[in-house]
């Protein structure tokens, strides 16, 4: 805190009389002279003290010392008390002790602020001498004897004021200094923070300014690119860029030329780079701004090799059959789709051959799976090779070409042939030849085995326009071949799909079922593994047939679809389920969503969404408590209608789940084109979890991708504790299955909801 005044003055003189003179000058009758001083000051400086109206002269606190040493002690004492002197008048000669100059030296040694006036009558020391010994200082003035009263007053007044001003200035300087120190500290902290952040990220980062100079980089950058620090010493980004691009499989895919980047607006984009070493790096480029001006570019690199490998593995596992290495059903759908496009363009035709080994089960059972597997491998080998041969034959022979040989699983294979000939019989030579090749004996571990096969054939465009229909029709033709046992193959014929009598009867019964109230619903809980409670309930339809007993939905739902009853039945189901869920909520039970299975046929109804919306309104159930389960095929029927309806559903607030994931013809590539909330991994993958590493890899890979798309993942069909444990270990979101709960009646569901969502498993 700065004093307003410092009016303490120290007189240092060996002569008592001088002390009295000074005291008189500074205290006695000062009013009158103060006016003089003011006038004088005005004359000298052009300014007057602001307090001109208040004409009282300052009251000085005056102390005396008679020797230099004594004076020093008084000064030190005053400093210690925090009451320093503003001014000292010092006599130049003070025998026997220090003279004035020495005294001042000593006093300045302890007090850096004290103003001093040296009083001299003699020519003991010249001014030059004084300045030589004390140096030029703005704290020193010389007063010549004899003293003038006004001069003393003027000195006292001005020098005490000067002391205050000096002190204030100094404090300001200290403030400033303090501020600078603080700012420097802050800055170095934020710098170190930036540095630490830069080093702690998993990304390799390099910053390049607009002149293509390297401004900053982190260790990870060097590591990812395998670059030594010395290489960056030149800070030349273009040189570095050259060096880096040499490491790439496609050298042109990288440029650190900030100039060019800014010009071409080449930033805010992700790009995958592949190194010659097979490493994958994701590159992200961002502009660096300072005061709203572009000052450089930040290049971000992330090693994504691991992720890429998993994706590749998944893609391979998801699209190729492990045993034979042939494309599986997923890839097959793609290939057929592709073949259809080509056929349309080239005005050619396709034949889809569905091939099944007769009594393969017998071979498996009699010789073991090992022999069965070997047989399938050789079989698929022959299939591929003979088709290549028949290609050649085919080329001479109406140009039959194969695009694809695929294994659907088990002992089922599909072959796609392209033919320029509309005449079905034109492919006969090719398939005859194929058959001959395939029924040659198989030599396996000292056994000689022979097989026969059944083949069904459908044609594009005559028997279908899409992969699913074409495969399905070739399949039913194959069944007919098996049944009729006339030849090894049958062409698809429309009549084949005609319903059997039994089927017709059942269909009739189903029409009555709604009216007779034979349909009812079960609810199967899905459990949230994190929260250890029920996440939702899946609605499953049941039919209690009066004579045949409980008919499984897998039987009656396809029937309902083909006989146009799926509409009214699903309406009834939706109404019942939504009202039931609302009723549970009204009873004060914890609100949870129900999920309802939606068949493709049902979804295709024109006003599907509007109808659903109305049912929701009528039941009073909030849309967020309803989820719809679709199979993958819905996604594959990729058309405007599907997309539009999905968007409408999303807008309505209903969640969308993909059911039986992994069994259909879709792939994860398609999934992200739709607003999907949940993926239910089919129970076939869960089934084999405990004894098949591959299943685990696939499940994990599906999870990884689904999670990266923000989707919830459910494992279906959990039947054992060991499956559950594996799923827990790999952080599955939700589980459903007999191990946790069977599908339950309304009464039993109410009971478990009443139990406050209790986790059914003790651990
Ligand atoms: P989904 O959608 O996959 O339904 C799950 C099926 O798996 C149910 O069979 C359920 O009982 C069964 N499940 C549940 N946990 C396990 C388990 O741990 N192990 C085994 N092996 N199975 C388990 P459900 O009720 O027989 O239904 C079969 C299929 O019929 C359903 O498969 C669904 O596609 C269809 N479905 C059932 N209800 C309806 C419905 O209301 N509408 C439509 N469109 N389809 C329905
Ligand atoms: Ca389902
Ligand atoms: Ca399912």
């Amino acid at each position: 805190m700065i004093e307003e005044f410092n009016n303490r003055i120290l007189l240092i003189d060996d002569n008592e009389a001088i002390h009295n003179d000074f005291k008189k000058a500074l205290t006695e009758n000062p009013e009158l002279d103060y006016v003089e001083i003011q006038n004088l000051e005005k004359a000298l400086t052009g300014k007057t003290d602001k307090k001109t109206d208040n004409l009282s002269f300052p009251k000085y606190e005056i102390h005396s010392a008679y020797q230099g040493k004594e004076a020093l002690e008084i000064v030190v004492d005053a400093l210690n008390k925090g009451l320093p002197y503003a001014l000292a008048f010092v006599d130049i000669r003070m025998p026997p002790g220090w003279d004035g100059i020495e005294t001042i030296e000593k006093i300045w040694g302890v007090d850096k602020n004290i103003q001093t006036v040296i009083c001299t009558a003699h020519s003991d020391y010249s001014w030059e001498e004084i300045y030589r010994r004390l140096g030029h200082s703005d704290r020193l003035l010389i007063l010549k004897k004899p003293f003038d009263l006004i001069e003393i007053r003027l000195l006292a007044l001005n020098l005490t004021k000067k002391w205050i001003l000096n002190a204030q200035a100094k404090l300001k300087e200290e403030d400033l200094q303090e501020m600078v120190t603080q700012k420097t500290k802050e800055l170095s902290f934020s710098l170190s923070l930036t540095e630490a952040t830069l080093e702690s990220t998993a990304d390799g980062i390099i910053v390049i300014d607009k002149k293509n100079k390297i401004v900053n980089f982190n260790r990870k950058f060097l590591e990812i690119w395998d670059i030594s620090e010395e290489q960056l010493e030149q800070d030349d980004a273009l040189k570095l860029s050259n060096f880096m691009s040499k490491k790439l499989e496609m050298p042109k895919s990288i440029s650190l030329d900030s100039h060019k980047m800014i010009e071409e607006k080449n930033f805010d984009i992700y790009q995958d780079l592949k190194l010659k070493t097979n490493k994958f790096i994701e590159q992200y480029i961002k502009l660096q701004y300072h005061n709203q001006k572009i000052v450089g570019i930040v290049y971000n690199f992330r090693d994504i090799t691991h992720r890429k490998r998993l994706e590749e593995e998944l893609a391979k596992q998801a699209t190729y059959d492990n045993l034979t290495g042939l494309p599986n059903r997923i890839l097959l759908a793609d290939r057929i789709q592709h073949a259809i496009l080509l056929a349309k363009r080239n005005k050619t035709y396709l034949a889809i051959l569905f091939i099944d080994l007769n009594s393969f089960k017998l071979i498996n059972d009699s010789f073991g799976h090992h022999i069965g597997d070997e047989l399938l491998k050789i079989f698929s080998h022959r299939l591929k090779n003979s088709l290549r041969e028949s290609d050649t034959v085919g080329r001479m022979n109406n140009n039959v070409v194969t695009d694809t040989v695929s294994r659907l699983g088990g002992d089922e294979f599909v072959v796609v042939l392209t033919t320029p000939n509309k005449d079905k019989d034109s492919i006969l030579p090719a398939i005859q030849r194929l058959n001959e090749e395939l029924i040659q004996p198989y030599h396996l571990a000292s056994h000689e085995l022979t097989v026969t096969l059944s083949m069904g054939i459908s044609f594009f465009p005559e028997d279908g326009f899409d992969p699913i229909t074409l495969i399905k029709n070739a399949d039913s033709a194959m069944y007919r071949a098996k049944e009729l046992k006339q030849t090894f193959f049958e062409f698809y014929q429309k009549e084949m799909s005609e319903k059997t009598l039994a089927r017709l009867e059942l269909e009739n019964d189903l029409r009555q079922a709604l009216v007779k109230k034979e349909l009812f619903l079960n609810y199967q809980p899905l459990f949230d593994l994190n929260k250890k409670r029920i996440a939702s309930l899946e609605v499953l339809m049941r039919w209690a047939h009066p004579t045949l007993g409980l008919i499984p939905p897998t039987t009656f739902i396809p029937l309902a679809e083909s006989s146009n009853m799926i509409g009214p039945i699903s309406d009834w189901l939706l109404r019942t389920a939504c009202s039931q869920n609302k009723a549970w909520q009204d009873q004060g039970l914890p609100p949870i969503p129900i999920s309802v299975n939606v068949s493709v046929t049902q979804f295709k109804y024109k006003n599907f969404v509007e109808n659903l919306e109305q049912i929701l309104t009528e039941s009073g159930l909030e849309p967020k408590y309803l989820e719809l389960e679709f199979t993958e095929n819905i996604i594959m029927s990729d058309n405007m209608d599907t997309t539009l309806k999905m968007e409408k559903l999303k807008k309505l607030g209903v969640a969308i789940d993909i059911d039986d994931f992994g069994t259909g013809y879709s792939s994860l590539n398609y999934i992200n084109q739709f607003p999907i909330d949940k993926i239910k991994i089919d129970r076939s993958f869960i089934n084999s979890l405990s004894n098949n590493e591959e299943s685990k890899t696939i499940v994990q890979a599906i999870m990884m991708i689904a999670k990266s798309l923000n989707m919830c993942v459910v494992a279906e069909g959990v039947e054992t504790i060991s499956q559950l444990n594996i799923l827990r270990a790999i952080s599955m979101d939700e589980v459903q299955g007999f191990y946790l709960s069977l599908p339950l009646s309304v009464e039993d569901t109410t009971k478990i909801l009443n139990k406050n969502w209790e986790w059914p498993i003790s651990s």
Side-chain angles (χ1 to χ4, degrees):
M1 190 51 215
I2 304 167
E3 300 171 72
E4 282 278 330
F5 299 104
N6 181 352
N7 55 356
R8 285 179 293 280
I9 296 174
L10 183 60
L11 303 173
I12 311 168
D13 203 310
D14 56 328
N15 185 346
E16 177 80 53
I18 301 284
H19 286 263
N20 292 333
D21 289 350
F22 269 93
K23 281 179 187 161
K24 237 186 238 163
L26 293 173
T27 53
E28 276 180 20
N29 196 21
E31 266 75 22
L32 180 79
D33 297 318
Y34 186 58
V35 180
E36 286 171 43
I37 289 173
Q38 295 263 319
N39 289 339
L40 194 72
E41 200 186 348
K42 198 172 178 183
L44 281 171
T45 63
K47 281 187 246 160
T48 27
D49 195 287
K50 276 180 206 132
K51 295 170 196 149
T52 317
D53 330 333
N54 174 10
L55 288 181
S56 74
F57 191 73
K59 294 235 176 328
Y60 291 108
E61 200 180 306
I62 301 166
H63 300 131
S64 292
Y66 299 92
Q67 284 290 301
K69 215 169 177 176
E70 184 195 356
L72 182 67
E73 276 160 19
I74 292 175
V75 167
V76 170
D77 192 44
L79 281 171
N80 288 342
K81 285 183 181 142
L83 298 167
Y85 289 95
L87 169 63
F89 288 95
V90 189
D91 185 20
I92 199 143
R93 296 192 71 228
M94 294 180 284
W98 305 330
D99 67 10
I101 294 177
E102 191 170 1
T103 304
I104 289 172
E105 269 176 339
K106 292 269 160 57
I107 288 177
W108 283 2
V110 296
D111 187 339
K112 297 206 157 45
N113 303 317
I114 193 164
Q115 303 292 318
T116 42
V117 177
I118 194 157
C119 310
T120 164
H122 317 276
S123 46
D124 320 60
Y125 296 99
S126 67
W127 286 38
E128 287 77 21
E129 179 69 9
I130 294 171
Y131 285 135
R132 193 184 56 73
R133 284 187 59 188
L134 287 174
H136 283 277
S137 164
D138 68 344
R139 285 190 284 161
L140 181 69
L141 283 173
I142 295 167
L143 180 66
K144 288 273 182 198
K145 289 178 184 172
F147 305 139
D148 178 79
L149 204 71
I150 298 204
E151 215 174 335
I152 291 177
R153 286 185 183 164
L154 196 58
L155 283 168
L157 199 67
N158 279 317
L159 292 178
T160 50
K161 203 191 282 169
K162 185 176 165 204
W163 187 94
I164 291 286
L165 291 176
N166 272 355
Q168 281 173 345
K170 194 147 181 187
L171 213 77
K172 267 196 194 124
E173 195 184 315
E174 271 167 15
D175 267 4
L176 222 64
Q177 192 61 43
E178 168 85 355
M179 216 166 80
V180 171
T181 318
Q182 182 62 29
K183 281 279 165 221
T184 314
K185 237 195 222 160
E186 278 172 22
L187 205 65
S188 81
F189 178 73
S190 90
L191 267 178
S192 77
L193 190 69
T194 313
E195 204 66 28
T197 314
L198 198 63
E199 286 304 338
S200 67
T201 151
D203 293 359
I205 295 171
I206 186 161
V207 187
I208 304 210
D209 73 7
K210 279 168 72 182
K211 290 181 182 144
N212 286 327
K213 293 250 170 286
I214 299 167
V215 181
N216 206 347
F217 61 90
N218 64 0
R219 230 115 288 283
K220 198 77 197 175
F221 170 78
L222 302 177
E223 197 183 297
I224 287 179
W225 282 98
D226 192 18
I227 290 174
S228 70
E229 198 162 346
E230 291 79 61
Q231 275 171 291
L232 297 196
E233 259 161 20
Q234 292 189 341
D235 79 7
D236 182 341
L238 295 184
K239 253 190 200 151
L240 179 67
S241 185
N242 270 336
F243 179 76
M244 282 159 74
S245 53
K246 282 195 193 115
K247 290 175 177 267
L248 292 173
E249 236 175 34
M250 289 185 352
K252 287 222 173 89
S253 48
I254 194 172
S255 162
L256 297 187
D257 187 341
S258 299
H259 235 75
K260 213 169 101 202
M261 290 291 165
I262 294 170
E263 211 162 77
E264 292 172 4
K265 297 202 165 51
N266 242 338
F267 33 81
D268 277 333
I269 43 163
Y270 284 93
Q271 190 191 355
D272 289 352
L273 306 171
K274 190 173 179 201
L275 298 194
K276 285 175 185 160
T277 55
N278 252 345
K279 196 168 169 179
F280 284 92
I281 296 177
E282 185 182 70
Q283 182 190 34
Y284 179 65
I285 301 170
K286 192 143 189 69
L287 289 178
Q288 185 200 358
Y289 285 93
H290 186 249
N291 292 339
Q292 277 142 32
K293 278 206 187 105
I294 299 172
V295 292
I297 297 197
V298 182
Y299 295 80
N300 232 292
F301 300 97
R302 179 171 294 191
D303 189 338
I304 52 163
T305 313
H306 184 65
R307 187 172 92 199
K308 280 275 179 198
R309 294 267 176 286
L310 254 170
E311 273 173 19
E312 275 173 8
E313 175 143 340
L314 174 71
K316 188 145 180 284
Q317 292 204 349
T319 49
Y320 285 87
D321 167 45
N322 277 319
L323 182 69
T324 61
L326 293 176
N328 68 10
R329 65 166 72 211
I330 294 171
L331 195 53
L332 174 66
D334 258 10
R335 293 268 172 97
I336 295 180
Q337 191 69 56
H338 187 70
I340 288 174
L341 282 178
L342 280 179
K344 275 187 190 160
R345 191 183 306 153
N346 302 334
K347 303 218 162 33
T348 54
Y349 304 90
L350 298 178
I352 314 295
L353 321 183
F354 199 112
I355 303 169
D356 184 278
L357 275 75
N358 295 331
S359 36
F360 177 67
K361 191 174 176 307
L362 200 65
I363 294 174
N364 249 345
D365 291 348
S366 337
F367 301 97
H369 282 275
H370 177 65
I371 296 286
D373 283 355
E374 278 309 302
L375 180 93
L376 287 176
K377 274 194 218 167
I378 302 174
F379 182 89
S380 53
H381 198 73
R382 283 192 196 172
L383 191 58
K384 261 194 318 200
N385 285 348
S386 57
L387 275 164
R388 245 176 236 141
E389 263 173 53
S390 75
D391 262 7
T392 349
V393 176
R395 228 168 269 134
M396 296 184 292
N397 198 336
N398 288 335
N399 231 351
V400 177
V401 227
T402 174
D403 304 288
T404 296
V405 179
S406 158
R407 180 177 174 235
L408 287 196
D411 56 351
E412 291 175 345
F413 295 82
V414 169
V415 172
V416 185
L417 297 177
T418 303
T419 163
N421 208 322
K422 196 174 181 217
D423 174 17
K424 289 178 183 175
D425 289 345
S426 68
I427 67 154
L428 284 180
I431 61 166
Q432 293 286 3
R433 202 186 166 81
L434 187 64
N435 185 47
E436 264 163 44
E437 186 67 35
L438 292 172
I439 58 176
Q440 296 300 314
Y442 292 78
H443 299 276
L444 290 160
S446 77
H447 306 289
E448 193 187 273
L449 303 176
T450 47
V451 295
T452 56
L453 50 89
S454 305
M455 187 190 292
I457 306 164
S458 65
F459 282 88
F460 169 82
E462 203 183 305
D463 301 331
F465 301 103
D466 61 273
I468 295 168
T469 313
L470 286 166
I471 295 170
K472 198 182 86 198
N473 289 344
D475 189 4
S476 54
M478 186 275 291
Y479 266 100
R480 189 161 159 90
K482 258 193 205 286
E483 260 173 36
L484 295 178
K485 294 195 178 88
Q486 288 169 347
T487 53
F488 73 92
F489 73 93
E490 286 292 330
F491 291 129
Y492 172 74
Q493 289 164 358
K494 293 244 166 15
E495 310 80 65
M496 281 174 192
S497 58
E498 268 179 9
K499 299 138 201 161
T500 58
L501 201 61
R503 209 176 124 96
L504 266 173
E505 262 174 38
L506 200 62
E507 202 182 294
N508 254 335
D509 293 345
L510 186 59
R511 277 184 213 286
Q512 302 297 314
L514 251 188
V515 186
K516 290 188 180 163
K517 299 200 161 73
E518 289 163 6
L519 297 176
F520 63 97
L521 302 182
N522 270 186
Y523 298 86
Q524 191 181 24
L526 275 72
F527 291 92
D528 185 322
L529 279 181
N530 265 322
K531 296 184 182 144
K532 297 200 169 184
R533 63 179 191 196
I534 301 175
S536 61
L537 296 165
E538 176 171 359
V539 185
L540 295 164
M541 191 144 40
R542 299 289 177 256
W543 179 14
H545 190 279
T547 53
L548 299 171
L550 215 55
I551 295 178
T554 40
T555 304
F556 73 84
I557 283 167
L559 207 59
E561 284 189 308
S562 61
S563 59
N564 265 333
M565 272 182 297
I566 193 76
I569 288 181
S570 322
D571 278 2
W572 167 82
L573 171 128
L574 273 169
R575 251 190 210 104
T576 314
C578 290
S579 310
Q580 181 60 62
N581 198 17
K582 181 71 169 66
W584 278 322
Q585 294 182 6
D586 290 345
Q587 287 167 38
L589 294 170
I592 52 170
I594 46 167
S595 60
V596 170
N597 294 285
V598 179
S599 78
V600 181
T601 324
Q602 187 188 348
F603 185 67
K604 280 188 182 148
Y605 283 138
K606 208 176 105 232
N607 51 0
F608 173 79
V609 183
E610 290 72 19
N611 189 34
L612 180 81
E613 198 171 355
Q614 197 188 338
I615 291 175
L616 276 168
T617 314
E618 279 168 18
S619 69
L621 184 72
E622 285 177 68
K624 67 173 172 187
Y625 294 115
L626 180 64
E627 293 177 13
L628 298 181
E629 293 191 10
F630 296 101
T631 57
E632 295 164 78
N633 300 342
I634 281 201
I635 293 172
M636 286 298 283
S637 64
D638 169 29
N639 57 40
M640 277 307 290
D641 186 51
T642 309
T643 316
L644 254 153
K645 279 181 179 160
M646 290 264 189
E647 277 166 7
K648 276 193 198 164
L649 286 173
K650 223 46 243 188
K651 221 180 242 164
L652 184 59
V654 171
I656 296 170
D657 307 346
I658 295 300
D659 204 1
D660 306 341
F661 188 79
T663 56
Y665 294 98
S666 90
S667 76
L668 283 161
N669 291 340
Y670 291 93
I671 291 281
N672 68 357
Q673 296 169 14
F674 296 95
I676 287 153
D677 299 279
K678 194 181 260 188
I679 287 197
K680 301 181 75 175
I681 301 179
D682 188 67
R683 66 167 173 269
S684 56
F685 295 98
I686 310 307
N687 221 333
S688 48
L689 260 190
S690 331
N691 47 28
N692 187 343
E693 262 315 295
E694 256 160 46
S695 296
K696 196 169 145 190
T697 313
I698 295 179
V699 169
Q700 269 181 302
I702 295 174
M703 280 173 70
M704 193 184 68
I705 295 180
K707 282 190 180 175
S708 79
L709 296 169
N710 259 333
M711 297 170 187
C712 170
V713 190
V714 186
E716 294 190 304
V718 180
E719 291 180 349
T720 65
I721 179 76
S722 77
Q723 289 164 358
L724 183 65
N725 284 338
I726 294 171
L727 293 167
R728 271 191 198 153
I730 62 174
S731 311
M732 177 61 63
D733 297 327
E734 293 179 7
V735 284
Q736 176 182 14
F738 293 164
Y739 183 76
L740 297 124
S741 170
L742 295 171
L744 305 171
S745 66
V746 173
E747 293 73 33
D748 288 344
T749 311
T750 312
K751 269 184 213 154
I752 64 152
L753 287 179
N754 252 322
K755 274 203 243 162
N756 277 333
W757 321 43
E758 204 173 278
W759 181 241
I761 293 151
S762 48
S763 61

